[in-house]
Amino acid sequence: MAWTIISSILIFYGILTVVNIPAPFIGLEFGNDTAPRLWYQPPGYVIPIIWFVLFALLGVARSALLPTAQPQAQWWLFALAFLCATYAYYTLGFAKLTHISALWFGLIGNIIVILFAGLVIYQLLPISKLAAYLTVPVIVWTAFATLIVLGELKAEHLI
């Protein structure tokens, strides 16, 4: 059982890492923003730590699905992980291509992540309550991140 959990977490860390390796090579980097931070915005180094925790929870959720009668439901978690891991591509990448603020793409992406995570939870709940509950923090964090994006949009007078 422990090996299943560890290997599942490592799979999700692998997704996070492999998806993001090309980003800096194609010019998608989150720079050191010198703009004033919102009072509720965590320091930049906290965000990767939170995502490592969230991906670990997704790995544990996957391991909870394996002994069920429907282990193929883990693909919902893989899809959610891929969507979350591609954040730099659909924010900075689209901003670079369109010259529209990355904040707008971040807002749209966050809404999509929240909705998709809700769908994943809905799909997993009848199969494994534990797997579904372990997915909830993705919604909580992304909702909080959405408040940050909205605050930044307001601070930049984009809304």
Side-chain angles (χ1 to χ4, degrees), residues 8-22 55 58-59 62 74-75 77-86 89:
S8 292
I9 291 170
L10 290 176
I11 288 169
F12 280 85
Y13 283 169
I15 292 169
L16 183 60
T17 304
V18 169
V19 166
N20 283 288
I21 285 174
F55 271 65
L58 293 176
R62 176 193 179 260
Q74 67 184 309
W75 292 103
L77 295 171
F78 287 135
L80 178 60
F82 185 77
L83 178 62
C84 293
T86 56
Y89 299 99

Side-chain angles (χ1 to χ4, degrees), residues 103-157:
L103 294 171
W104 287 112
F105 294 111
L107 179 63
I108 294 165
N110 285 355
I111 292 168
I112 291 169
V113 167
I114 291 168
L115 293 173
F116 189 72
L119 176 63
V120 171
I121 292 166
Y122 176 78
Q123 294 294 323
L124 298 182
L125 205 52
I127 301 165
S128 169
K129 288 187 182 0
L130 177 60
Y133 295 152
L134 289 170
T135 308
V136 171
V138 171
I139 291 177
V140 173
W141 169 253
T142 308
F144 178 68
T146 301
L147 292 176
I148 295 169
V149 170
L150 287 169
E152 289 178 334
L153 281 166
K154 187 173 180 184
E156 292 189 19
H157 305 291

Side-chain angles (χ1 to χ4, degrees), residues 48-88:
I49 294 169
I50 290 171
W51 278 109
F52 267 89
V53 170
L54 293 173
F55 271 65
L57 293 175
L58 293 176
V60 175
R62 176 193 179 260
S63 69
L65 290 171
L66 293 178
T68 68
Q70 296 183 28
Q72 71 278 10
Q74 67 184 309
W75 292 103
W76 286 104
L77 295 171
F78 287 135
L80 178 60
F82 185 77
L83 178 62
C84 293
T86 56
Y87 185 81

